Amino acid sequence: MARKALTISALAIGLGAALTGIGTKYRAAQAEENYPPLGQFVEVTGGQVHYVQSGSGPHLILLHGAGGNLREFTFDLMDRLTDRYTVTIFDRPGLGYTDQVPTVATGALATDGDAPLDQARMLREAAEKIGITAPIVAGHSFGGIVSYAWAVEGLENDSPVNAAAVVSLAGVTMPWPGPLDPYYRINGSAFGGAVTIPLISALVPQSVVEDRISSTFAPQPAPEGYAHYIGAGLTLRTASMRANIRQVNTLRPHVVELSKRYPELTLPIEIVHGTDDTTVPIHIHAEEVIKIVPSASLTRLEGIGHMPHHAEPRMVIDAIDRAATRAGLK
């Protein structure tokens, strides 16, 4: 009887795994059909980078946050800027249609994430190949720390793609106290990569996705049509989920090291951060970084949450324009 029970259990587990695998592949294929690449691809060392570029004028790069893709900015903000900037939006490594940093293990049991500095180096190579020079680098949330990493890399390398200025939109910049949410710690483990992430990828309902979007925008509502446009299914692909969660779960040590270099930065830095941001709290990040970087200027948005570029796009555009003026680009 015991042997029979073990056999039945093994068969059930195997069937469950097979069904989960089928489910993840189907949903990934559906997401890619519904949300195909919007732009072009450029080959870099070890992979390819997906980007959208439009407009004319000084170069402006936009980097999206965790769990996102370049649609974050093509939804609205890009069209407000192309009249006076050559705007380039990248899918960050491992997300959207950009490959992961080639040195990072991607298997089910791996736990390392793409470090912000390695992401910046990969995107800098892409930027150089497509002719970007002296860009303003603007990053939202996780994209914020990648924009700072872009600037820090410029301290070591004399390159045409060194940032002329940085704009941080609710950006991660400083080490935070305490552990991350269990969602990241569990799913960022080897067990999570092998077991829970495929289950989430295959089974999570649309209602959960919409709840996550709502909590990210709170206390403001998400713009009408955003949930349909953003292509959350791209992030729910198993490989993208693993990349995203591992990047967040392993981020803090990289922030610690990068923040040691901030006092060396002299380029213009404009920060736009909402006072009601609970995802990347202003008092931990923006209000601390301005204490150690003399060239950083903070615009506080009273009552605004984690998505200032949607809630107050005019304020964000003004910050970009100030950065351009301070950098001598306008």
mmCIF file of all heavy atoms in Angstrom, residues 34-41 50-53 69-75 78 89 91 97 229-230 234:
data_model
loop_
_atom_site.group_PDB
_atom_site.id
_atom_site.type_symbol
_atom_site.label_atom_id
_atom_site.label_comp_id
_atom_site.label_asym_id
_atom_site.label_seq_id
_atom_site.Cartn_x
_atom_site.Cartn_y
_atom_site.Cartn_z
ATOM 1 N N ASN A 34 0.247 39.051 -27.906
ATOM 2 C CA ASN A 34 -0.549 40.242 -27.615
ATOM 3 C C ASN A 34 0.302 41.502 -27.455
ATOM 4 O O ASN A 34 -0.174 42.616 -27.696
ATOM 5 C CB ASN A 34 -1.363 40.029 -26.344
ATOM 6 C CG ASN A 34 -2.444 38.978 -26.508
ATOM 7 O OD1 ASN A 34 -2.896 38.701 -27.626
ATOM 8 N ND2 ASN A 34 -2.870 38.385 -25.403
ATOM 9 N N TYR A 35 1.554 41.303 -27.022
ATOM 10 C CA TYR A 35 2.450 42.433 -26.749
ATOM 11 C C TYR A 35 3.791 42.204 -27.433
ATOM 12 O O TYR A 35 4.799 41.956 -26.784
ATOM 13 C CB TYR A 35 2.626 42.622 -25.240
ATOM 14 C CG TYR A 35 1.318 42.852 -24.518
ATOM 15 C CD1 TYR A 35 0.666 41.800 -23.880
ATOM 16 C CD2 TYR A 35 0.737 44.108 -24.493
ATOM 17 C CE1 TYR A 35 -0.543 42.003 -23.232
ATOM 18 C CE2 TYR A 35 -0.466 44.326 -23.841
ATOM 19 C CZ TYR A 35 -1.106 43.264 -23.218
ATOM 20 O OH TYR A 35 -2.307 43.472 -22.582
ATOM 21 N N PRO A 36 3.824 42.295 -28.751
ATOM 22 C CA PRO A 36 5.074 42.064 -29.482
ATOM 23 C C PRO A 36 6.045 43.216 -29.269
ATOM 24 O O PRO A 36 5.679 44.274 -28.738
ATOM 25 C CB PRO A 36 4.608 42.003 -30.941
ATOM 26 C CG PRO A 36 3.387 42.871 -30.971
ATOM 27 C CD PRO A 36 2.706 42.647 -29.647
ATOM 28 N N PRO A 37 7.290 43.060 -29.683
ATOM 29 C CA PRO A 37 8.255 44.159 -29.562
ATOM 30 C C PRO A 37 7.758 45.407 -30.278
ATOM 31 O O PRO A 37 7.215 45.328 -31.383
ATOM 32 C CB PRO A 37 9.512 43.599 -30.236
ATOM 33 C CG PRO A 37 9.365 42.117 -30.146
ATOM 34 C CD PRO A 37 7.901 41.842 -30.257
ATOM 35 N N LEU A 38 7.954 46.549 -29.649
ATOM 36 C CA LEU A 38 7.521 47.823 -30.238
ATOM 37 C C LEU A 38 8.618 48.491 -31.044
ATOM 38 O O LEU A 38 8.337 49.403 -31.830
ATOM 39 C CB LEU A 38 7.077 48.792 -29.127
ATOM 40 C CG LEU A 38 5.845 48.417 -28.318
ATOM 41 C CD1 LEU A 38 5.575 49.475 -27.253
ATOM 42 C CD2 LEU A 38 4.628 48.252 -29.222
ATOM 43 N N GLY A 39 9.865 48.063 -30.807
ATOM 44 C CA GLY A 39 10.974 48.793 -31.394
ATOM 45 C C GLY A 39 11.928 47.922 -32.173
ATOM 46 O O GLY A 39 11.530 46.997 -32.885
ATOM 47 N N GLN A 40 13.208 48.218 -31.996
ATOM 48 C CA GLN A 40 14.273 47.541 -32.720
ATOM 49 C C GLN A 40 15.191 46.821 -31.728
ATOM 50 O O GLN A 40 15.078 46.979 -30.518
ATOM 51 C CB GLN A 40 15.077 48.562 -33.529
ATOM 52 C CG GLN A 40 14.252 49.322 -34.548
ATOM 53 C CD GLN A 40 15.046 50.451 -35.169
ATOM 54 O OE1 GLN A 40 15.177 51.534 -34.595
ATOM 55 N NE2 GLN A 40 15.596 50.207 -36.357
ATOM 56 N N PHE A 41 16.119 46.046 -32.292
ATOM 57 C CA PHE A 41 17.082 45.315 -31.479
ATOM 58 C C PHE A 41 18.495 45.693 -31.893
ATOM 59 O O PHE A 41 18.770 45.939 -33.067
ATOM 60 C CB PHE A 41 16.888 43.801 -31.640
ATOM 61 C CG PHE A 41 15.605 43.288 -31.063
ATOM 62 C CD1 PHE A 41 14.442 43.274 -31.820
ATOM 63 C CD2 PHE A 41 15.553 42.838 -29.750
ATOM 64 C CE1 PHE A 41 13.260 42.804 -31.284
ATOM 65 C CE2 PHE A 41 14.368 42.359 -29.197
ATOM 66 C CZ PHE A 41 13.217 42.343 -29.973
ATOM 67 N N HIS A 50 16.479 45.420 -26.617
ATOM 68 C CA HIS A 50 15.307 45.958 -27.308
ATOM 69 C C HIS A 50 15.126 47.420 -26.917
ATOM 70 O O HIS A 50 15.196 47.767 -25.740
ATOM 71 C CB HIS A 50 14.066 45.146 -26.904
ATOM 72 C CG HIS A 50 12.790 45.651 -27.497
ATOM 73 N ND1 HIS A 50 11.642 45.822 -26.758
ATOM 74 C CD2 HIS A 50 12.470 46.021 -28.764
ATOM 75 C CE1 HIS A 50 10.675 46.268 -27.537
ATOM 76 N NE2 HIS A 50 11.154 46.394 -28.762
ATOM 77 N N TYR A 51 14.871 48.276 -27.902
ATOM 78 C CA TYR A 51 14.715 49.693 -27.617
ATOM 79 C C TYR A 51 13.745 50.341 -28.592
ATOM 80 O O TYR A 51 13.497 49.844 -29.699
ATOM 81 C CB TYR A 51 16.067 50.421 -27.688
ATOM 82 C CG TYR A 51 16.638 50.551 -29.087
ATOM 83 C CD1 TYR A 51 16.473 51.729 -29.823
ATOM 84 C CD2 TYR A 51 17.326 49.494 -29.686
ATOM 85 C CE1 TYR A 51 16.991 51.849 -31.102
ATOM 86 C CE2 TYR A 51 17.843 49.597 -30.962
ATOM 87 C CZ TYR A 51 17.676 50.778 -31.674
ATOM 88 O OH TYR A 51 18.174 50.903 -32.948
ATOM 89 N N VAL A 52 13.189 51.462 -28.164
ATOM 90 C CA VAL A 52 12.370 52.333 -29.002
ATOM 91 C C VAL A 52 13.037 53.693 -29.004
ATOM 92 O O VAL A 52 13.476 54.178 -27.953
ATOM 93 C CB VAL A 52 10.934 52.443 -28.462
ATOM 94 C CG1 VAL A 52 10.174 53.565 -29.163
ATOM 95 C CG2 VAL A 52 10.193 51.129 -28.617
ATOM 96 N N GLN A 53 13.115 54.313 -30.169
ATOM 97 C CA GLN A 53 13.741 55.632 -30.268
ATOM 98 C C GLN A 53 12.910 56.530 -31.169
ATOM 99 O O GLN A 53 12.445 56.102 -32.236
ATOM 100 C CB GLN A 53 15.169 55.524 -30.813
ATOM 101 C CG GLN A 53 15.943 56.834 -30.780
ATOM 102 C CD GLN A 53 17.372 56.645 -31.266
ATOM 103 O OE1 GLN A 53 17.623 56.557 -32.466
ATOM 104 N NE2 GLN A 53 18.319 56.595 -30.332
ATOM 105 N N ASN A 69 8.545 47.135 -18.382
ATOM 106 C CA ASN A 69 9.192 47.077 -19.687
ATOM 107 C C ASN A 69 9.071 48.470 -20.295
ATOM 108 O O ASN A 69 8.532 49.393 -19.664
ATOM 109 C CB ASN A 69 8.571 45.995 -20.576
ATOM 110 C CG ASN A 69 7.077 46.198 -20.781
ATOM 111 O OD1 ASN A 69 6.649 47.141 -21.432
ATOM 112 N ND2 ASN A 69 6.266 45.319 -20.196
ATOM 113 N N LEU A 70 9.568 48.653 -21.489
ATOM 114 C CA LEU A 70 9.610 49.996 -22.062
ATOM 115 C C LEU A 70 8.234 50.582 -22.331
ATOM 116 O O LEU A 70 8.080 51.799 -22.520
ATOM 117 C CB LEU A 70 10.486 50.029 -23.316
ATOM 118 C CG LEU A 70 10.207 49.101 -24.511
ATOM 119 C CD1 LEU A 70 9.000 49.547 -25.317
ATOM 120 C CD2 LEU A 70 11.434 49.067 -25.415
ATOM 121 N N ARG A 71 7.187 49.742 -22.320
ATOM 122 C CA ARG A 71 5.823 50.259 -22.479
ATOM 123 C C ARG A 71 5.446 51.225 -21.354
ATOM 124 O O ARG A 71 4.513 52.017 -21.503
ATOM 125 C CB ARG A 71 4.825 49.106 -22.531
ATOM 126 C CG ARG A 71 4.870 48.310 -23.822
ATOM 127 C CD ARG A 71 4.019 47.051 -23.749
ATOM 128 N NE ARG A 71 3.981 46.367 -25.030
ATOM 129 C CZ ARG A 71 3.029 46.535 -25.944
ATOM 130 N NH1 ARG A 71 2.018 47.345 -25.694
ATOM 131 N NH2 ARG A 71 3.071 45.878 -27.085
ATOM 132 N N GLU A 72 6.154 51.136 -20.229
ATOM 133 C CA GLU A 72 5.926 52.054 -19.120
ATOM 134 C C GLU A 72 5.992 53.517 -19.583
ATOM 135 O O GLU A 72 5.245 54.372 -19.094
ATOM 136 C CB GLU A 72 6.969 51.810 -18.029
ATOM 137 C CG GLU A 72 6.897 52.737 -16.844
ATOM 138 C CD GLU A 72 5.594 52.591 -16.096
ATOM 139 O OE1 GLU A 72 5.162 51.431 -15.854
ATOM 140 O OE2 GLU A 72 5.000 53.619 -15.766
ATOM 141 N N PHE A 73 6.881 53.785 -20.521
ATOM 142 C CA PHE A 73 7.077 55.155 -20.989
ATOM 143 C C PHE A 73 6.424 55.431 -22.341
ATOM 144 O O PHE A 73 6.114 56.585 -22.638
ATOM 145 C CB PHE A 73 8.557 55.478 -21.051
ATOM 146 C CG PHE A 73 9.222 55.487 -19.700
ATOM 147 C CD1 PHE A 73 10.177 54.535 -19.375
ATOM 148 C CD2 PHE A 73 8.888 56.439 -18.755
ATOM 149 C CE1 PHE A 73 10.792 54.541 -18.130
ATOM 150 C CE2 PHE A 73 9.501 56.450 -17.503
ATOM 151 C CZ PHE A 73 10.452 55.503 -17.194
ATOM 152 N N THR A 74 6.218 54.407 -23.173
ATOM 153 C CA THR A 74 5.524 54.659 -24.441
ATOM 154 C C THR A 74 4.033 54.862 -24.214
ATOM 155 O O THR A 74 3.342 55.380 -25.100
ATOM 156 C CB THR A 74 5.745 53.503 -25.446
ATOM 157 O OG1 THR A 74 5.244 52.274 -24.903
ATOM 158 C CG2 THR A 74 7.215 53.355 -25.804
ATOM 159 N N PHE A 75 3.520 54.489 -23.047
ATOM 160 C CA PHE A 75 2.102 54.697 -22.735
ATOM 161 C C PHE A 75 1.731 56.177 -22.838
ATOM 162 O O PHE A 75 0.662 56.510 -23.344
ATOM 163 C CB PHE A 75 1.792 54.165 -21.333
ATOM 164 C CG PHE A 75 0.360 54.379 -20.902
ATOM 165 C CD1 PHE A 75 -0.651 53.567 -21.385
ATOM 166 C CD2 PHE A 75 0.029 55.405 -20.025
ATOM 167 C CE1 PHE A 75 -1.974 53.767 -21.011
ATOM 168 C CE2 PHE A 75 -1.282 55.617 -19.636
ATOM 169 C CZ PHE A 75 -2.295 54.790 -20.125
ATOM 170 N N MET A 78 6.650 59.428 -23.336
ATOM 171 C CA MET A 78 7.539 59.601 -24.488
ATOM 172 C C MET A 78 7.002 60.652 -25.462
ATOM 173 O O MET A 78 7.746 61.534 -25.920
ATOM 174 C CB MET A 78 7.722 58.269 -25.209
ATOM 175 C CG MET A 78 8.710 58.327 -26.372
ATOM 176 S SD MET A 78 8.888 56.731 -27.186
ATOM 177 C CE MET A 78 10.397 56.991 -28.108
ATOM 178 N N ILE A 89 14.118 54.539 -25.216
ATOM 179 C CA ILE A 89 13.658 53.746 -24.083
ATOM 180 C C ILE A 89 14.176 52.325 -24.267
ATOM 181 O O ILE A 89 13.973 51.712 -25.315
ATOM 182 C CB ILE A 89 12.124 53.720 -23.984
ATOM 183 C CG1 ILE A 89 11.530 55.115 -24.201
ATOM 184 C CG2 ILE A 89 11.691 53.154 -22.638
ATOM 185 C CD1 ILE A 89 10.012 55.127 -24.241
ATOM 186 N N ASP A 91 14.320 48.300 -22.874
ATOM 187 C CA ASP A 91 13.949 47.221 -21.962
ATOM 188 C C ASP A 91 15.195 46.888 -21.156
ATOM 189 O O ASP A 91 16.261 46.602 -21.731
ATOM 190 C CB ASP A 91 13.514 45.971 -22.736
ATOM 191 C CG ASP A 91 12.050 45.988 -23.151
ATOM 192 O OD1 ASP A 91 11.249 46.686 -22.502
ATOM 193 O OD2 ASP A 91 11.715 45.290 -24.132
ATOM 194 N N TYR A 97 11.959 42.490 -23.899
ATOM 195 C CA TYR A 97 12.606 41.656 -24.918
ATOM 196 C C TYR A 97 14.127 41.800 -24.920
ATOM 197 O O TYR A 97 14.784 41.478 -25.912
ATOM 198 C CB TYR A 97 12.035 41.987 -26.301
ATOM 199 C CG TYR A 97 10.614 41.483 -26.472
ATOM 200 C CD1 TYR A 97 9.532 42.321 -26.264
ATOM 201 C CD2 TYR A 97 10.358 40.163 -26.826
ATOM 202 C CE1 TYR A 97 8.228 41.863 -26.411
ATOM 203 C CE2 TYR A 97 9.068 39.698 -26.977
ATOM 204 C CZ TYR A 97 8.000 40.548 -26.766
ATOM 205 O OH TYR A 97 6.711 40.075 -26.907
ATOM 206 N N TYR A 229 -2.524 48.074 -21.494
ATOM 207 C CA TYR A 229 -1.424 48.450 -22.389
ATOM 208 C C TYR A 229 -0.071 47.904 -21.956
ATOM 209 O O TYR A 229 0.762 47.540 -22.789
ATOM 210 C CB TYR A 229 -1.337 49.983 -22.466
ATOM 211 C CG TYR A 229 -0.215 50.478 -23.357
ATOM 212 C CD1 TYR A 229 -0.402 50.616 -24.722
ATOM 213 C CD2 TYR A 229 1.039 50.795 -22.819
ATOM 214 C CE1 TYR A 229 0.628 51.059 -25.545
ATOM 215 C CE2 TYR A 229 2.065 51.238 -23.634
ATOM 216 C CZ TYR A 229 1.854 51.366 -24.988
ATOM 217 O OH TYR A 229 2.875 51.797 -25.797
ATOM 218 N N ILE A 230 0.161 47.836 -20.650
ATOM 219 C CA ILE A 230 1.517 47.626 -20.140
ATOM 220 C C ILE A 230 2.101 46.256 -20.467
ATOM 221 O O ILE A 230 3.314 46.078 -20.507
ATOM 222 C CB ILE A 230 1.568 47.887 -18.618
ATOM 223 C CG1 ILE A 230 3.006 48.049 -18.130
ATOM 224 C CG2 ILE A 230 0.843 46.787 -17.865
ATOM 225 C CD1 ILE A 230 3.735 49.217 -18.704
ATOM 226 N N LEU A 234 4.120 39.818 -20.072
ATOM 227 C CA LEU A 234 5.528 39.665 -20.433
ATOM 228 C C LEU A 234 6.379 39.427 -19.189
ATOM 229 O O LEU A 234 7.324 38.636 -19.205
ATOM 230 C CB LEU A 234 6.025 40.911 -21.175
ATOM 231 C CG LEU A 234 5.385 41.189 -22.538
ATOM 232 C CD1 LEU A 234 5.886 42.521 -23.090
ATOM 233 C CD2 LEU A 234 5.683 40.058 -23.518
#
